[in-house]
Amino acid sequence: MMRAFTALRKKVEKFFVPLIMLLFSSALFLLMYSGIKPAILDIQLYQVAETTIRANATVEDTAQTEANQKVAEDNVAPVYSFNSETQKVQLSKVQILFVTIEEVQKEANKIYSEKVESSQPAIPENTNEGSESLATPTTVEPLTEEEKYGLFQNKAKSLEQETQEFISELPQWAITALLEAPAGTLTTLNEALTTIISEKMAQSIRLEELKEAIEDAQDSIQYVELENTYQRVANLILEHAIIENNIFNEQATEQARQEALRNVQPVMILQGQVIVQEGHVVDSTDMHQLELLGMLDDEPSYHMIYSLIILLIAQLVGVYLISKIESLTSQEFSKILVLYSLIVIVSVAIMKGLQLLQLAGIDNIAFLYPAALASMLANAFLTPKFGYLLNTFLPAFSIFIYTGYRGTTNALVIVVIYALSGLFGALMRQRKEQKIPGKLLWLMIVGNGIVMLSMIFYLNQPILTFQTLSMVTYSVFSGVLAYALATILIPYIDVYYADNAVLTLTELSNPNQPLLKLLLTKSPGTYHHSLMVANLSSNAVSAIGGDSLFARVACYYHDVGKLTHPLFFVENLPSGMDNPHNLLSPYESKEIIFGHVSEGVRMLKEAKLPQSIIDVCAQHHGTTLMKYFYAQAKKENSEAKESDFRYPGPKPQTKEAAVINIADSAEAACRSMSKPTKQSIEEFVHELIVSRIKDGQFDECDITMKELRIVEAALVDNLVGTFHSRIEYPKTEPTK
């Protein structure tokens, strides 16, 4: 039957942790579900929106982006490249034309002269001076226009290709007219054309402006005194000499267009952005954006649920890994997991309550959340790693609580405030037997205020506004609220978490407790001894930073086992009564003395006292040797075994138990001294501690040699103050 019960208990313990994890995660999921539950949006075009609709994700409106890109591309002005060299090139062509004309005229004249000379008859040498019979000269015709034009064409062939093309655009009649023009006319015409072309080509001329530029130039040539024929020739030359010099640059224009396209920012719909304001008419743009976000689909989105589930799983993994790093036993982990779960659930529930108040119209109330409370409780009862884990996930859970802020900077501010405020609460480790330090309160007040002020500047909000002042006020009071709640809750949580809780120990220290009343009534000497040991132990434990309240209360109960045989302990013997051990053998006496430990453990268990106090009762003698009765046994039987006269133990397992072990023996010994002095007390306590060290009584606890020296000094000071020899005042005769 016992084996079956043990097996059942192990099975329950095996499934306890997974069950708590499941219930814990389920509770958190249910608390946050209302803000993330999927829903199908009921909204129609050109109808008034019944609620404000925010974007559930961040997406790009590609159609609007493309439209903006088209507008930007169309607004790019064509890029033109002005070529200042065109002026020189065109002037050069005109100059070469006139130079060629002049050269052809000179060549034509030369040919004509040569023909004239060759056509003159020769004069005979023997002709008499008075002779009338001279030869008649031959008539020579000048070169025809065709011949001159032929000479011009031959000259033109040796010119550059561009100049040839320019000249070829002039009709034959124009070239012929120039070839026949007088030198003065050519000079006038050349100078006029050079001036006009130079002025016009110095200006920017686009293709669409070319006709107007030519007409302006032709108007200018009208003011030059030239015959009509040469005016016509000049107009022709201007028509071909004035050309486009500010040319459309297709490559540069295309680069400008591409640059404009790159400068167009994508049109983004940001998560948390208001798409439709409550009370406004839904237009086609709103419907387009809602469609892009998938909010008009018949199928609801489950992404937020998936996100929360993943976060909850990550938290469980973190809790499990920390338990492995901390090397926690199954029982320790179970206890920590329950408390961790309760802290997180209550914290999320507080967030949910604040969110409901905010929905009711109390703006910025979310900043009143006492974020430092969870960290303070975690530091008081869990390990620091659990505290940091808790302070990481609680701000993350706020995203799923305050869904109205989703995707906005306010959501970021809430996360930052919760995380840093929680960090302030985790900076100082709380000792359960002391009050929470007041400087921690000021740290949270000042820290929260500074962080909130930083976030207000980040939000670019005006300082002296009601909204800003309310944010700062709520943030500061969140620190005060966390401090107050921690002060109230820590003692009560301590009762659940530790059997040596302050409230439990305070209650057990009451003299009206049944066992203490019984001890006072039946064993007053033991009761007084317990009080003395409690004072000694409490002061010594406090000196080494231990739990002084626990040490005091444990001492009150460490000798309750003497209630079974109170008169067999010397402190309870009435004055003049013989010691009952004189009637017993050493072995019988030994069993009675040993019995006060085992009986004490039994009585404390029956009274359901904390296990830590029961442990002190069992350990307060360790495995020390009962020297007096062992010596008596040796006298009767030299083969008496020392092991038979050693307490069963166990040895002290904690610093508090070790101090009580020393104080118990020191108090009893000093009380039995006839005339204790400071020197005798110092020597005794020192020898006592040295003997316990040599005997290995402190091998199983973590007390150090340095701490033992502090304990020794504290015990000596208290013992000297209690047992020092008093001055004997002289007796005086009574007056008659």
Side-chain angles (χ1 to χ4, degrees):
M1 186 69 178
M2 189 64 183
R3 288 181 179 178
F5 177 77
T6 303
L8 178 62
R9 182 174 60 82
K10 288 183 178 179
K11 286 184 179 180
V12 171
E13 290 178 353
K14 181 179 180 181
F15 292 102
F16 179 76
V17 169
L19 179 63
I20 292 298
M21 286 185 169
L22 178 61
L23 294 175
F24 167 48
S25 299
S26 300
L28 288 179
F29 183 84
L30 292 175
L31 279 171
M32 292 181 273
Y33 179 72
S34 61
I36 62 172
K37 61 182 179 181
I40 298 175
L41 191 63
D42 184 15
I43 191 170
Q44 299 295 328
L45 184 63
Y46 303 126
Q47 289 187 356
V48 177
E50 297 179 357
T51 182
T52 298
I53 303 172
R54 294 180 180 270
N56 61 356
T58 298
V59 297
E60 180 185 356
D61 188 345
T62 54
Q64 187 60 47
T65 301
E66 291 173 359
N68 292 352
Q69 289 176 338
K70 183 67 169 62
V71 171
E73 187 177 13
D74 292 342
N75 288 335
V76 173
V79 179
Y80 289 86
S81 298
F82 177 73
N83 189 355
S84 59
E85 295 296 321
T86 307
Q87 179 194 43
K88 297 178 181 179
V89 172
Q90 295 304 101
L91 285 174
S92 174
K93 292 177 182 179
V94 173
Q95 295 297 326
I96 291 173
L97 169 64
F98 280 96
V99 168
T100 305
I101 293 294
E102 291 176 357
E103 289 179 352
V104 171
Q105 285 182 338
K106 290 178 180 179
E107 187 174 351
N109 291 334
K110 182 180 179 181
I111 293 173
Y112 175 73
S113 298
E114 290 176 351
K115 284 184 178 181
V116 170
E117 291 178 0
S118 62
S119 65
Q120 293 294 330
I123 300 175
E125 294 180 0
N126 56 356
T127 302
N128 295 323
E129 293 182 1
S131 176
E132 296 180 358
S133 58
L134 296 174
T136 302
T138 304
T139 302
V140 178
E141 295 292 335
L143 270 64
T144 64
E145 292 179 355
E146 290 294 332
E147 290 174 334
K148 290 180 180 180
Y149 185 74
L151 290 174
F152 180 82
Q153 291 285 50
N154 290 333
K155 284 282 185 182
K157 289 179 181 179
S158 63
L159 301 177
E160 293 182 353
Q161 183 65 31
E162 290 184 358
T163 305
Q164 290 185 41
E165 292 176 356
F166 170 74
I167 293 173
S168 66
E169 292 174 349
L170 298 175
Q172 183 176 345
W173 70 265
I175 299 297
T176 302
L178 290 174
L179 291 172
E180 297 296 331
T185 300
L186 286 177
T187 301
T188 301
L189 183 59
N190 186 6
E191 291 176 352
L193 288 174
T194 300
T195 301
I196 293 172
I197 293 171
S198 178
E199 290 178 355
K200 287 297 178 183
M201 292 301 293
Q203 302 171 6
S204 169
I205 303 175
R206 295 183 183 178
L207 182 62
E208 62 271 18
E209 301 169 343
L210 180 59
K211 183 178 179 181
E212 182 180 357
I214 293 173
E215 289 175 354
D216 288 344
Q218 290 174 343
D219 289 342
S220 298
I221 201 70
Q222 300 300 322
Y223 296 100
V224 180
E225 293 183 2
L226 293 171
E227 295 179 4
N228 289 337
T229 300
Y230 299 115
Q231 286 282 358
R232 291 175 60 200
V233 172
N235 287 338
L236 282 173
I237 293 174
L238 289 173
E239 184 177 345
H240 294 92
I242 296 176
I243 62 173
E244 175 188 11
N245 62 1
N246 198 6
I247 302 171
F248 171 70
N249 192 327
E250 184 176 357
Q251 182 179 0
T253 302
E254 182 62 26
Q255 289 178 351
R257 287 177 182 151
Q258 294 301 322
E259 184 66 23
L261 290 177
R262 285 193 294 269
N263 290 334
V264 174
Q265 297 296 323
V267 178
M268 303 299 297
I269 303 174
L270 302 178
Q271 185 179 29
Q273 175 183 332
V274 175
I275 304 299
V276 182
Q277 189 72 40
E278 180 183 359
H280 289 196
V281 177
V282 180
D283 58 22
S284 57
T285 302
D286 299 333
M287 295 297 289
H288 171 67
Q289 292 181 339
L290 291 173
E291 185 178 2
L292 283 177
L293 292 165
M295 299 177 72
L296 297 179
D297 297 341
D298 293 336
E299 292 294 329
S301 174
Y302 295 93
H303 287 85
M304 290 297 292
I305 291 180
Y306 299 152
S307 174
L308 179 57
I309 291 174
I310 292 172
L311 195 64
L312 292 173
I313 293 174
Q315 180 180 220
L316 294 180
V317 172
V319 170
Y320 177 77
L321 291 177
I322 291 177
S323 71
K324 293 301 181 183
I325 294 172
E326 299 283 353
S327 301
L328 300 175
T329 64
S330 177
Q331 185 176 4
E332 290 173 337
F333 180 49
S334 300
K335 208 166 189 178
I336 285 178
L337 179 61
V338 170
L339 185 57
Y340 179 93
S341 302
L342 289 173
I343 292 174
V344 175
I345 290 172
V346 171
S347 299
V348 173
I350 293 174
M351 288 187 207
K352 188 65 179 178
L354 293 174
Q355 186 249 354
L356 294 176
L357 291 176
Q358 190 154 299
L359 291 177
I362 306 178
D363 294 334
N364 302 317
I365 194 67
F367 296 113
L368 187 60
Y369 168 69
L373 175 62
S375 298
M376 294 171 70
L377 296 179
N379 258 18
F381 301 105
L382 308 178
T383 65
K385 291 185 178 64
F386 281 105
Y388 292 128
L389 182 74
L390 179 145
N391 195 51
T392 299
F393 280 96
L394 282 178
F397 290 146
S398 69
I399 299 173
F400 299 91
I401 296 292
Y402 305 106
T403 52
Y405 288 147
R406 187 182 306 157
T408 66
T409 51
N410 283 335
L412 172 63
V413 170
I414 288 176
V415 171
V416 171
I417 290 291
Y418 284 8
L420 293 181
S421 182
L423 182 61
F424 293 145
L427 287 178
M428 194 171 299
R429 181 148 182 87
Q430 167 64 25
R431 293 183 59 186
K432 298 187 289 295
E433 73 275 9
Q434 298 176 351
K435 292 182 179 179
I436 302 175
K439 59 184 177 182
L440 181 59
L441 171 61
W442 287 108
L443 171 65
M444 292 187 293
I445 290 176
V446 176
N448 287 359
I450 292 175
V451 172
M452 178 54 74
L453 190 61
S454 170
M455 292 296 100
I456 287 170
F457 280 112
Y458 173 78
L459 294 173
N460 197 26
Q461 289 185 189
I463 299 297
L464 298 178
T465 62
F466 176 78
Q467 181 179 5
T468 299
L469 292 177
S470 66
M471 291 170 68
V472 174
T473 302
Y474 285 139
S475 180
V476 168
F477 271 96
S478 73
V480 177
L481 184 60
Y483 182 87
L485 290 175
T487 303
I488 295 170
L489 293 176
I490 282 178
Y492 292 97
I493 297 175
D494 198 20
V495 173
Y496 155 77
Y497 192 78
D499 59 6
N500 61 343
V502 173
L503 291 180
T504 302
L505 295 175
T506 302
E507 182 181 358
L508 291 175
S509 65
N510 191 331
N512 291 321
Q513 286 291 327
L515 282 177
L516 294 183
K517 289 177 68 175
L518 191 63
L519 194 63
L520 177 60
T521 304
K522 290 189 175 182
S523 303
T526 300
Y527 181 82
H528 181 264
H529 162 71
S530 298
L531 293 181
M532 295 295 293
V533 175
N535 289 331
L536 293 171
S537 300
S538 176
N539 293 333
V541 167
S542 178
I544 61 174
D547 192 340
S548 60
L549 178 60
F550 167 73
R552 178 179 294 278
V553 176
C555 288
Y556 291 162
Y557 293 90
H558 81 289
D559 271 346
V560 294
K562 293 181 179 181
L563 286 169
T564 308
H565 302 96
L567 297 179
F568 283 82
F569 297 90
V570 66
E571 67 266 20
N572 296 316
L573 283 176
S575 179
M577 181 178 176
D578 291 336
N579 193 328
H581 286 286
N582 295 334
L583 304 175
L584 302 176
S585 68
Y587 287 91
E588 291 173 326
S589 296
K590 177 257 301 185
E591 292 300 328
I592 293 175
I593 300 300
F594 280 177
H596 93 276
V597 175
S598 57
E599 284 298 310
V601 170
R602 179 187 63 79
M603 294 172 68
L604 293 177
K605 285 183 178 179
E606 289 179 356
K608 296 183 179 179
L609 263 68
Q611 184 60 43
S612 56
I613 292 180
I614 297 173
D615 291 340
V616 169
C617 178
Q619 300 165 18
H620 78 277
H621 281 295
T623 59
T624 55
L625 178 65
M626 198 178 297
K627 294 181 179 179
Y628 178 80
F629 293 111
Y630 175 62
Q632 293 294 325
K634 271 289 190 181
K635 290 179 182 178
E636 297 177 5
N637 182 7
S638 59
E639 296 181 358
K641 296 180 180 179
E642 180 182 307
S643 59
D644 293 338
F645 289 87
R646 282 190 175 272
Y647 282 93
K651 295 177 180 180
Q653 303 295 306
T654 63
K655 295 179 182 180
E656 289 80 6
V659 172
I660 293 170
N661 176 284
I662 300 168
D664 182 45
S665 300
E667 193 280 334
C670 290
R671 182 164 29 85
S672 64
M673 291 181 182
S674 57
K675 290 185 178 181
T677 63
K678 180 179 180 181
Q679 182 178 358
S680 63
I681 291 174
E682 287 177 346
E683 291 175 355
F684 174 78
V685 174
H686 180 73
E687 290 175 1
L688 174 64
I689 293 176
V690 170
S691 65
R692 295 288 164 89
I693 293 173
K694 291 180 179 179
D695 199 27
Q697 294 302 310
F698 307 135
D699 290 351
E700 297 178 11
C701 66
D702 58 352
I703 194 166
T704 65
M705 294 299 296
K706 180 180 179 180
E707 290 171 333
L708 285 172
R709 284 193 292 271
I710 295 173
V711 168
E712 179 182 341
L715 290 176
V716 168
D717 288 343
N718 283 273
L719 288 169
V720 169
T722 302
F723 295 107
H724 70 283
S725 298
R726 298 187 181 274
I727 300 173
E728 294 186 6
Y729 292 95
K731 295 181 180 180
T732 59
E733 295 292 333
T735 58
K736 295 182 180 180

